Amino acid sequence: MKTAVLVFPGSNCDRDIATALERVGGTKPTMVWHAETELPDGIGLVAVPGGFSYGDYLRSGAIGARSPIMRAVSDAAGRGVPVLGICNGFQILTEAGLLPGALMRNAGLDFVCREVALTVENSQSVFTSRYNAGEQIVYPVAHHDGNYSADEETLDRLEGEGRVAFRYAGTVNGSARGIAGVLSAAGNVLGLMPHPERRIETAAHGGNDGRRMFEGLFETVGA
Amino acid sequence: MKLRIFVTLKPGVLDPQGRAIHKALGTLGFAGVNDVRAGKLIELDVADDTTDERVDAMCRELLANTVIENYRVERV
């Protein structure tokens, strides 16, 4: 499977996700600069990495979401190509309208940087097929704006349609209903604040719960 | 033509920054502050023939995130 990692000015987890994709999938992803207008042909996965694109100016992810490459990402998502947004990538996907809601300043105002326990809510998506629904896993988080917010109607719809992929097992950032990750209506776009790509090798990361997300992706979408 | 765009959080949306400012005002001894909401002021200098619709589109498409924010345009 061909994969691509977007790179914005201020991205800082692009190498982490690229390493994770290469370690699990065996092939280096194509790094795609935000100013480009096309993704590689036959792309099987687009990853939008964490970081501080455009210095979080205006709102986290706001400027990145309007950069030229995002039109191609939106087209790819419309064709059913899996798109994975992690941390700032999640913020970019909500700002681009590919996922509902918004990520606001953490309720406690603190930058939260630690390991958190998550509950896998949906194990039917291309991203979560290697997990069991209800299973508790650990991913690290590192963010200032991870407080997921949406109106009650939207939250009810997300829950009703099984689009809450991950929920925090404890209090982290004030997110509505503890939501840590959401899926698009078609299920091929996932945005989450925690970092699965930083939990790949037990020896280096203290655990490998993130690895199964990528194993599942390569298995479902094709090697 | 100069415009001022005021971007504010929608009522009911929790404003942790406003809350922190509120607390700091209290620490400084300013009593009687009932509530604090923090927002943004964006100043634009646009061509004189820029229509209201055009300004509105700029607000909706970029300057404000209408999921959580309201905006108000003022001509200076």
Side-chain angles (χ1 to χ4, degrees), chain A residues 58-59 62-63 66 95 101-102 104-107 109 147 149-150, chain B residues 9 13-14 16-17 20 40 42 61-65 67-69:
Chain A
L58 190 63
R59 297 175 302 276
I63 311 288
R66 277 82 181 173
E95 279 283 346
M104 300 187 52
R105 180 53 41 104
N106 292 345
L109 289 173
N147 181 350
S149 176
Chain B
L9 283 173
V13 173
L14 178 76
Q17 292 184 87
K40 288 188 196 95
I42 300 168
E61 286 175 35
L62 179 62
L63 303 181
N65 179 342
V67 174
I68 47 169
E69 294 170 329

Side-chain angles (χ1 to χ4, degrees), chain A residues 12-78:
Chain A
N12 67 6
C13 300
D14 42 331
R15 278 194 61 207
D16 303 51
I17 180 73
T19 301
L21 290 171
E22 187 181 353
R23 290 276 170 90
V24 180
T27 315
K28 273 189 200 306
T30 307
M31 306 305 279
V32 180
W33 184 236
H34 72 111
E36 296 191 26
T37 52
E38 282 176 29
L39 291 163
D41 282 338
I43 197 77
L45 170 74
V46 181
V48 191
F52 299 86
S53 57
Y54 291 92
D56 282 348
Y57 291 165
L58 190 63
R59 297 175 302 276
S60 297
I63 311 288
R66 277 82 181 173
S67 60
I69 194 62
M70 287 308 292
R71 193 158 291 186
V73 173
S74 183
D75 289 347

